[in-house]
Amino acid sequence: GKRKVSEIFSYIFDKTTGKFTSKVIASYPILSAGKTGTVYVSKSQNGNYISVVYQKMNSKKEPEESDCILLNAHSLETVWQKTATFQDEFYSTFRAVTNNGKIIFVRTPRSYKETNYLVVIDPTTQETKTIEENFKIHQPMSVSIGTKDYLIAFNYKDKGIRRGDFGYVMFYDLEQGKALFNNEVEGYSINNMKEVLFRNVFIENNEIRVLAEG
């Protein structure tokens, strides 16, 4: 309104008192009605962290800036906060948070001649991770085996016969910066799917079971 600010609030309900308490996590200026920026919220698979990413408005010629806030999911207290800046022609399409408290950006090219890449953000670093093959990944989910972080993401390859946007599923090692496998999805029709949402992941012995909704 007249204050021309966009604020992100956290609300906590106390069952013992039956009341809500709230506080402002972050506040950003509203430049105009069409330049308010966009907020993205993700929760880690283990339920320990929530990431709040505020992407500021920018033109194609300007660097893309996103304020990253990592919250403790149990207390909603800030664990760390940092601004991520990207100078290239790519744009961010998806964001995820790992079980170890890092925020992942998927950077997508404006041209089909280039491939996605990943950026891992933590309190001290902003590290780029490449994807060897030229395939376009969708909303990834981060999982852990021991202390190591991995990404699971549906995707499609830009070469060969395309089986819709979700024809393959990738398992990516964030430490190595390498896709360990990218398997074709078989057994059901996916050509007309518009979106796939991860509901849960179960890791046991040598099996990873993914519950997803298309």
Side-chain angles (χ1 to χ4, degrees):
K2 295 180 180 179
R3 295 176 58 215
K4 295 188 182 300
V5 293
S6 176
E7 294 178 327
I8 301 172
F9 285 83
S10 69
Y11 288 85
I12 298 179
F13 180 71
D14 188 338
K15 290 190 291 186
T16 59
T17 63
K19 295 180 179 180
F20 283 96
T21 57
S22 66
K23 68 176 181 179
V24 177
I25 296 176
S27 180
Y28 303 98
I30 296 175
L31 303 179
S32 68
K35 296 183 178 180
T36 57
T38 307
V39 176
Y40 302 90
V41 178
S42 303
K43 191 174 185 179
S44 63
Q45 187 247 341
N46 62 7
N48 289 338
Y49 298 106
I50 295 172
S51 66
V52 179
V53 176
Y54 176 82
Q55 183 174 321
K56 303 174 184 178
M57 286 295 300
N58 69 298
S59 68
K60 291 182 180 179
K61 297 181 180 180
E62 296 176 326
E64 181 185 307
E65 285 192 355
S66 292
D67 281 355
C68 303
I69 304 172
L70 187 76
L71 302 175
N72 180 308
H74 306 290
S75 65
L76 295 186
E77 295 295 327
T78 299
V79 179
W80 58 263
Q81 186 168 354
K82 182 178 181 176
T83 299
T85 302
F86 306 102
Q87 302 282 354
D88 57 24
E89 296 290 327
F90 288 55
Y91 61 100
S92 299
T93 49
F94 302 105
R95 298 141 190 90
V97 58
T98 73
N99 288 336
N100 289 315
K102 298 181 180 182
I103 299 176
I104 311 298
F105 282 73
V106 177
R107 299 285 293 161
T108 300
R110 301 186 188 276
S111 167
Y112 279 93
K113 295 180 180 180
E114 298 179 89
T115 187
N116 298 147
Y117 70 90
L118 305 171
V119 177
V120 183
I121 308 290
D122 64 24
T124 58
T125 60
Q126 179 172 321
E127 186 177 6
T128 297
K129 300 289 185 178
T130 59
I131 300 174
E132 311 94 282
E133 294 185 61
N134 196 6
F135 48 82
K136 313 301 181 186
I137 71 174
H138 295 271
Q139 178 65 64
M141 170 181 271
S142 178
V143 298
S144 298
I145 299 176
T147 60
K148 292 185 64 174
D149 290 323
Y150 300 86
L151 290 182
I152 299 175
F154 285 92
N155 62 89
Y156 68 88
K157 296 184 179 182
D158 70 344
K159 295 181 180 179
I161 299 174
R162 182 169 168 183
R163 300 179 61 250
D165 289 352
F166 309 96
Y168 294 83
V169 62
M170 172 188 76
F171 192 69
Y172 186 92
D173 186 324
L174 273 173
E175 184 178 306
Q176 294 186 52
K178 180 181 180 181
L180 301 184
F181 60 76
N182 189 39
N183 290 350
E184 186 173 352
V185 179
E186 299 178 351
Y188 61 96
S189 174
I190 58 172
N191 290 335
N192 296 322
M193 284 189 185
K194 302 300 182 184
E195 187 176 11
V196 171
L197 302 175
F198 288 110
R199 294 304 184 195
N200 217 328
V201 175
F202 306 93
I203 301 175
E204 185 178 7
N205 299 324
N206 291 322
E207 287 188 340
I208 301 171
R209 301 175 185 177
V210 180
L211 177 63
E213 180 180 347

